[in-house]
Amino acid sequence: MMIDDAPDRPSLTPHHLEERPDRPRPAQEGQPAQHARDFAIEVAKLLHDDHCEDVLIYDVRGLSPITDYLVIASGTSDRQIQAVASHVSDLAQQHGMSRFGTDRDEAATWLVLDFVEVMVHLFEPTTRAHYDLEMMWGDAPQISWRR
């Protein structure tokens, strides 16, 4: 499932996220997804506490075939993004969320953590503006959260 196949940019769907028979499926719309929602909110709070900026959560149930919630945030450097990704992975273990995969671009300006029901996108600001996931998922409801 390729979302963007422009030759000058990598696909917006990393190879491990393409629809595959072995990939666990997120909850279907209408099924209980409270645990995933709670985890997405905890991730957003953690990202905020780790000094990430512009942290957003989108509810994409029924809109995305690969996940229920997207968490998007900006970090200040590849070092910070790597550290935050490690903290998110630790939080996932505490919540019983298994990581299906992780992917990053070659320049380490974008990292994706895939927990099936929740996907976490960590960007450096210029890369985030370039891909503009907020525009892509602008029709999805945002989940309100605050520390």
Side-chain angles (χ1 to χ4, degrees):
M1 173 172 147
M2 301 302 256
I3 297 172
D4 181 1
D5 58 0
D8 62 331
R9 303 191 308 193
S11 165
L12 286 177
T13 305
H15 66 280
H16 78 276
L17 301 179
E18 294 175 8
E19 290 190 57
R20 298 185 344 209
D22 63 328
R23 179 181 170 73
R25 302 300 300 164
Q28 298 299 311
E29 191 171 14
Q31 290 182 349
Q34 190 63 41
H35 181 70
R37 179 186 169 100
D38 292 346
F39 175 64
I41 291 170
E42 288 302 313
V43 168
K45 290 176 181 178
L46 173 74
L47 297 175
H48 175 266
D49 293 348
D50 277 354
H51 307 288
C52 288
E53 299 176 351
D54 301 320
V55 180
L56 300 174
I57 305 172
Y58 288 99
D59 180 344
V60 296
R61 289 175 297 159
L63 300 173
S64 169
I66 60 172
T67 194
D68 292 333
Y69 298 95
L70 294 174
V71 181
I72 303 170
S74 296
T76 57
S77 68
D78 61 334
R79 174 183 257 168
Q80 182 205 22
I81 289 171
Q82 290 295 330
V84 169
S86 177
H87 296 161
V88 171
S89 293
D90 292 344
L91 181 67
Q93 286 182 339
Q94 294 170 15
H95 283 263
M97 300 290 287
S98 298
R99 189 174 71 207
F100 184 70
T102 302
D103 205 357
R104 62 187 271 178
D105 70 343
E106 291 178 23
T109 59
W110 179 15
L111 188 136
V112 180
L113 298 164
D114 179 6
F115 300 101
V116 181
E117 293 94 353
V118 178
M119 292 186 64
V120 181
H121 293 265
L122 303 171
F123 291 97
E124 286 189 339
T126 54
T127 305
R128 181 175 177 171
H130 180 73
Y131 286 105
D132 198 9
L133 293 185
E134 290 91 332
M135 176 65 116
M136 179 182 295
W137 295 105
D139 292 341
Q142 281 191 36
I143 304 296
S144 181
W145 67 274
R146 288 293 166 242
R147 177 48 90 197

